[in-house]
Amino acid sequence: MKQTVGFLVLAACLVLIGGCDSSDKPQNYQFFKDNPDQAKAVIGECRLNGTRGMDPKRNAVCDAAVAAEKSAKYDESHNTN
């Protein structure tokens, strides 16, 4: 019985931790274009953890961060100033 209760408490904690987001703003392409440091942090996390089997919403955040970083690099390489 104690093991079952312990497992349920652990499962509840994991659900709560997984649902937490440190940012109140939606993490989308424009957010990452405006916050390149956040994009780099998310990309690093996604590379570290991998995206296979990841929640589709979280995978979309990884994709948005990568797209924003690629766009920023493209803009830098084509800057004619």
Side-chain angles (χ1 to χ4, degrees), residues 11-76:
C13 289
L14 291 175
V15 169
L16 291 173
I17 290 170
C20 291
D21 191 359
S22 61
S23 175
D24 292 345
K25 296 180 181 181
Q27 292 184 333
N28 56 24
Y29 174 80
Q30 189 59 50
F31 172 82
F32 291 123
K33 283 286 285 184
D34 296 338
N35 301 284
D37 291 336
Q38 286 288 334
K40 289 178 184 178
V42 168
I43 291 168
E45 177 186 327
C46 294
R47 286 182 180 155
L48 179 67
N49 296 329
T51 57
R52 186 175 183 183
M54 183 184 288
D55 175 48
K57 289 181 183 178
R58 188 66 188 157
N59 204 352
V61 169
C62 292
D63 291 343
V66 169
E69 184 184 50
K70 285 182 180 178
S71 176
K73 286 181 180 179
Y74 178 84
D75 291 346
E76 288 174 9

